[in-house]
Structures are given as structure tokens and as C-alpha cells.
Amino acid sequence: MSRETSTQAGFNQLYQEHHEWLVRWIARRTSGWDNAQDLAQDTFLRLLNRPVMPEQLSSPRAWLAKIAGNLAVDQARRQILEKNYLATLANVPEAEQPSPEEQWEMLGLLEQIDQLLNGLRPIEKTAFLMARLDGLSYREVAEQLNVSLSSVEKYIAKAMLRCYTATYGEQD
């Protein structure tokens, strides 16, 4: 049996043995059965798109639960981001409202920025966004966040390093 056929058979077996359990597991932790089915499907798609699938998983349910949990967190973050974006748009005069296509593009861009800054502490992310998006000076950011100017400089430097690394990769 070829490696590809073996991997496909392993995936099929994993799907058959654990799909129903995974849907129930997700449904208990998220909003609704339909959403659970979608997240379970996304979990298995993520596995299917892996270059190599581990042959012998010691605890496949833990592995699946971890992937599904991460996808659920990503989904919740996207929903919060979208909700906040739509709330901001509600304050924009109707004549200045972006088209639906522009709104969709902007939401995608906001998701990319959120992913890029994922892993920073909330205060670091907030300081960076206040300086870069709101155009506040470092001193103004420090005053609003009630932290020292040197802290703001460190927060923004860390966020800038993350952006640089994401764009250009690790530098020696």
C-alpha cells in the first residue's frame, strides 16, 4: 500500500471513529449544532490539508479537540471583531459608508491585523493600535493607558518587531 493510500485510509478511519464525538464535544462548548458541525468539518479539513498526518496518534480525541478548540477561539475572535467593526460603521454618516465590498475587504484586513498581533498582551496591542491607527503620540498613549512613556515605547517596539518578523521573517 502506498504512503498516500495509507494516509487516506488513516484519515478516513479517524473521521469515521471520531467525527460524531467531535460534533457533540464542540456543540457542548459553542452555540448550536449547526455551528458544531461546521467547526468539526473545518477541523477535519485542517487535518486533510496537512502535508503529513501522524500515523499513530496516542490520543486522537485530544488532538482533534485542541484543533477544534483553536478554531472555535478564532471564530469567536472574528465575531467580536466583526461586531465592533459594524458598531463603528453605524456611527459613520450614510453618505460616507463604504460599499459592501469595501466593508468586506476592511473586515478581512482587520482580521489579518488581529492575527498578526495575536500573542501580544492586550495592553501592547492597544498601545500599538492607538499610536498607529488613532495617530496618538506615545505620550498621549501613555496618559490614556496610565503607564509610563518607556512602557509605551517597549509595547510598540514589541508590536513593530512582530510586524517586521511577519513581513520579512526571522533575521539573524
Side-chain angles (χ1 to χ4, degrees), residues 140-160:
E140 292 169 323
V141 172
E143 289 171 6
Q144 286 194 21
L145 294 178
N146 199 26
V147 297
S148 69
L149 180 60
S150 65
S151 292
V152 170
E153 291 169 344
K154 290 174 190 170
Y155 299 157
I156 294 174
K158 186 173 179 180
M160 293 293 289

Side-chain angles (χ1 to χ4, degrees), residues 52-64:
V52 177
M53 217 172 99
E55 297 298 324
Q56 298 294 327
L57 292 174
S58 60
S59 53
R61 288 187 174 183
W63 199 57
L64 292 168

Side-chain angles (χ1 to χ4, degrees), residues 108-119:
L109 182 59
L110 289 171
E111 286 177 14
Q112 287 178 338
I113 292 169
D114 185 57
Q115 279 297 106
L116 178 70
L117 299 177
N118 186 27

Side-chain angles (χ1 to χ4, degrees), residues 37-121:
Q37 290 177 323
D38 289 344
L39 283 172
Q41 195 66 24
D42 289 346
T43 299
F44 282 103
L45 280 175
R46 175 115 357 137
L47 294 177
L48 192 58
N49 291 328
R50 289 179 65 97
V52 177
M53 217 172 99
E55 297 298 324
Q56 298 294 327
L57 292 174
S58 60
S59 53
R61 288 187 174 183
W63 199 57
L64 292 168
K66 179 67 175 169
I67 294 170
N70 289 343
L71 288 171
V73 167
D74 289 346
Q75 182 185 60
R77 288 175 61 204
R78 258 191 320 275
Q79 289 170 344
I80 291 168
L81 190 66
E82 184 174 357
K83 178 184 167 193
N84 290 337
Y85 176 64
L86 293 175
T88 301
L89 277 181
N91 296 324
V92 174
E94 191 172 327
E96 297 175 23
Q97 288 278 332
S99 70
E101 293 82 12
E102 291 169 327
Q103 289 179 24
W104 182 256
E105 284 179 23
M106 181 60 73
L107 191 56
L109 182 59
L110 289 171
E111 286 177 14
Q112 287 178 338
I113 292 169
D114 185 57
Q115 279 297 106
L116 178 70
L117 299 177
N118 186 27
L120 292 177
R121 293 181 307 156

Side-chain angles (χ1 to χ4, degrees), residues 127-142:
F128 177 75
L129 294 175
M130 289 172 78
R132 295 297 176 197
L133 296 182
D134 297 337
L136 299 179
S137 70
Y138 286 15
R139 187 167 306 287
E140 292 169 323
V141 172

Side-chain angles (χ1 to χ4, degrees), residues 1-47:
M1 182 182 295
S2 74
R3 180 167 170 77
E4 189 174 312
T5 306
S6 173
T7 300
Q8 183 65 39
F11 177 83
N12 289 342
Q13 182 178 356
L14 184 71
Y15 186 90
Q16 289 171 356
E17 291 177 2
H18 302 289
H19 179 264
E20 190 175 314
W21 167 84
L22 184 61
V23 171
R24 285 193 314 271
W25 184 88
I26 295 168
R28 286 192 305 268
R29 289 161 177 79
T30 63
S31 58
W33 189 257
D34 290 338
N35 186 48
Q37 290 177 323
D38 289 344
L39 283 172
Q41 195 66 24
D42 289 346
T43 299
F44 282 103
L45 280 175
R46 175 115 357 137
L47 294 177

